[in-house]
Amino acid sequence: MIRKFFSSTSDIPESAAVPRHIAIIMDGNGRWAKKRLMPRVAGHVQGVERVRDTVQACIERGVEYLTLFAFSSENWRRPQEEVSKLMELFILALEREVEKLNRNGIRLKIVGDLERFDSRLRQLIRDGEARTADKDRLTLTIAANYGGRWDILNAVNTWLAENPGSARMDEAAMNAHLALPFAPEPDLFIRTGGEQRISNFLLWQLAYTELYFTDTLWPDFSAGELDRAITWYQQRERRFGRTSEQVRQH
Ligand code: IPE
Ligand code: IPE
Ligand code: MG
């Protein structure tokens, strides 16, 4: 059963002081390593450490959903060696961390086009999700071989297959078929590494998300940095199309 969430375009969602859902593009691993004359993969290894810290920090702050962009549908364009290293790290992280996630009440979700991954990785993903499925302290979603355009096309095609004929797709049907039907739309988006772009992350879901960009490279991202982003978020007025006066009367 899919829980019904407010959609920022069909309804006006409540904005809590602490963002319920944070989505992060973890960028800058390669540059972090290069600055230290280390191979790019050393930056990815440090990056995994920051994932661990950020999950913990989100739990402590009462964030309910954390979605992390780990590998984009365009990252296959990287040198074969780097892609293989990233896959190895992903496998290692799943093997080592799932039990800890389970103990800490964290539900793990992996979203993206998983068919391109090898069978061992796909099995680890299935096991990790199954073992943590009943946890509800934090939902940690890892976007892997994910692309926003893939997500939208996949939703439309899945829906079309279920609804042959002349039915028209509406927002509720779209939301239910996208990769994150279990989560509300992100309240806060963070991109580290200095670039101010979306890079094909959650194109549909970011419609009314507050966008925060920091020059900090992902391997240097800390709980203090997370707090700065949350403080910035708390100063935004989320109008969802209304006037400022309307928001204050509400
Ligand atoms: C983000 O860091 C990690 C992935 C895309 C997998 P990068 O590897 O993109 O680091 P930079 O942008 O080259 O510094
Ligand atoms: C976005 O970072 C994808 C991830 C962090 C997984 P990239 O480093 O791939 O983005 P671009 O290529 O600079 O836009
Ligand atoms: Mg990058």
Side-chain angles (χ1 to χ4, degrees), residues 26-32 40 44 69-72 75 78 82 86 191 193 195 217-218:
M26 310 179 288
D27 196 20
N29 294 353
R31 279 163 285 164
W32 183 91
R40 291 179 58 84
H44 299 316
F69 205 5
F71 192 86
S72 78
N75 286 145
R78 293 194 176 195
E82 180 169 350
L86 282 165
R191 180 172 187 145
E195 310 299 346
L217 304 172
W218 177 251

Side-chain angles (χ1 to χ4, degrees), residues 171-191:
E171 235 199 68
M174 177 65 106
N175 288 331
H177 289 80
L178 286 166
L180 299 168
F182 48 83
E185 290 171 34
D187 300 295
L188 172 62
F189 160 99
I190 299 172
R191 180 172 187 145

Side-chain angles (χ1 to χ4, degrees), residues 9-250:
T9 41
S10 308
D11 312 282
I12 297 172
E14 291 290 328
S15 302
V18 174
R20 285 185 74 194
H21 184 175
I22 299 181
I24 306 183
I25 297 188
M26 310 179 288
D27 196 20
N29 294 353
R31 279 163 285 164
W32 183 91
K34 195 171 174 198
K35 271 189 1 198
R36 288 165 179 75
L37 308 177
M38 286 151 90
R40 291 179 58 84
V41 65
H44 299 316
V45 171
Q46 273 303 307
V48 176
E49 298 297 316
R50 295 297 86 75
V51 169
R52 209 176 282 131
D53 303 344
T54 304
V55 167
Q56 187 56 35
C58 282
I59 288 183
E60 287 164 7
R61 283 152 188 77
V63 174
E64 294 169 62
Y65 299 86
L66 174 66
T67 300
L68 302 175
F69 205 5
F71 192 86
S72 78
S73 43
E74 289 70 55
N75 286 145
W76 298 103
R77 296 170 180 166
R78 293 194 176 195
Q80 176 54 42
E81 192 192 301
E82 180 169 350
V83 171
S84 309
K85 287 271 169 30
L86 282 165
M87 294 301 144
E88 274 173 39
L89 274 178
F90 193 19
I91 289 177
L92 212 63
L94 283 167
E95 284 174 346
R96 286 188 186 159
E97 304 293 332
V98 167
E99 193 37 50
K100 265 183 257 170
L101 296 177
N102 201 23
R103 275 204 305 276
N104 288 311
I106 300 164
R107 173 169 66 151
L108 178 67
K109 292 276 193 187
I110 313 287
V111 299
D113 186 0
L114 305 183
E115 276 168 34
R116 186 130 179 219
F117 295 134
D118 71 24
S119 55
R120 177 162 167 234
L121 186 46
R122 289 209 305 267
Q123 188 59 46
L124 280 169
I125 288 171
R126 274 196 297 272
D127 291 350
E129 288 189 332
R131 273 168 71 191
T132 60
D134 61 344
K135 300 297 180 292
D136 60 5
R137 208 162 159 212
L138 173 84
T139 297
L140 170 64
T141 304
I142 306 291
N145 193 22
Y146 176 89
R149 290 186 177 178
W150 166 83
D151 194 2
I152 294 167
L153 282 173
N154 185 56
V156 171
N157 287 326
T158 310
W159 181 85
L160 280 175
E162 291 168 9
N163 296 277
S166 58
R168 283 166 68 91
M169 194 178 198
D170 58 14
E171 235 199 68
M174 177 65 106
N175 288 331
H177 289 80
L178 286 166
L180 299 168
F182 48 83
E185 290 171 34
D187 300 295
L188 172 62
F189 160 99
I190 299 172
R191 180 172 187 145
T192 62
E195 310 299 346
Q196 303 199 1
R197 56 177 173 249
I198 302 291
S199 298
N200 199 15
F201 195 26
L202 304 162
L203 296 180
W204 177 279
Q205 297 87 342
L206 294 176
Y208 270 103
T209 302
E210 301 296 333
L211 308 178
Y212 180 86
F213 299 93
T214 169
D215 288 336
T216 301
L217 304 172
W218 177 251
D220 291 327
F221 192 79
S222 60
E225 221 17 273
L226 179 71
D227 285 333
R228 263 192 290 286
I230 294 177
T231 302
W232 173 87
Y233 166 83
Q234 288 167 340
Q235 287 155 8
R236 308 270 65 77
E237 180 178 63
R238 304 191 75 193
R239 292 192 284 275
F240 299 103
R242 297 163 299 170
T243 66
S244 196
E245 289 70 22
Q246 287 175 298
V247 175
R248 284 180 207 154
Q249 274 163 21
H250 189 69

